[in-house]
Amino acid sequence: MRILVVEDDDRVARGLVTALRAASFDVQRVATAERALSAPSADVVLLDLGLPDADGIDLLRKLRERPQTAIIAVTARGEERDRVRGLRAGADDYVVKPFGVAELLARIDAVLRRTRTARAEPEQADPRCGSGR
Ligand code: CA
């Protein structure tokens, strides 16, 4: 499973990458929105909404256009408004800084379970046998 960590804080990013690699994920880390958009697609994006070069919500919307990718937004404590905006913009889940590695891994497993289930379901809107238009 590939995870893209989008985080501008080096110290936070290092901890995350170490923990995720220890959990056997294939991890790539970028520090800017620009690099997040040019990175190869991942199964899960861990997206810090507070980035220096772009509005995190705008970036989330762009990443959301990749249907195979689950997105977990990362926000600072107390910013309910950001969490709500993140969920409404298409985040599958969020974590609040500072968060524990065990919680993060559990949330990653949860979103992966959901995206795998969604992928395994048959196409519901097959145009060949659909509305007759
Ligand atoms: Ca940040």
Side-chain angles (χ1 to χ4, degrees), residues 41-117:
S41 68
D43 298 293
V44 178
V45 177
L46 203 60
L47 175 62
D48 176 22
L49 293 180
L51 292 171
D53 64 328
D55 179 67
I57 300 292
D58 286 344
L59 175 59
L60 200 162
R61 287 208 182 87
K62 285 177 190 153
L63 292 170
R64 181 70 289 163
E65 289 166 14
R66 303 172 184 177
Q68 307 284 15
T69 300
I71 301 173
I72 300 178
V74 180
T75 66
R77 182 174 290 281
E79 293 173 351
E80 183 194 13
R81 193 171 142 270
D82 278 356
R83 299 199 291 280
V84 170
R85 287 178 72 213
L87 289 168
R88 295 209 182 281
D92 296 286
D93 201 356
Y94 67 82
V95 288
V96 179
K97 286 182 184 175
F99 51 83
V101 167
E103 178 185 357
L104 176 64
L105 293 174
R107 289 183 182 275
I108 288 171
D109 283 347
V111 297
L112 284 173
R113 207 155 52 225
R114 289 200 291 271
T115 51
R116 266 190 235 126
T117 308

Side-chain angles (χ1 to χ4, degrees), residues 18-39:
T18 303
L20 292 169
R21 288 200 175 127
S24 302
F25 287 106
D26 176 4
V27 187
Q28 186 187 1
R29 181 253 172 155
V30 297
T32 64
E34 190 188 347
R35 285 181 179 275
L37 288 170
S38 60

Side-chain angles (χ1 to χ4, degrees), residues 5 7-19 29-31 48 97-99 101:
V5 174
E7 171 60 72
D8 59 307
D9 184 321
D10 287 337
R11 197 179 51 86
V12 173
R14 261 200 305 275
L16 279 175
V17 169
T18 303
R29 181 253 172 155
V30 297
D48 176 22
K97 286 182 184 175
F99 51 83
V101 167

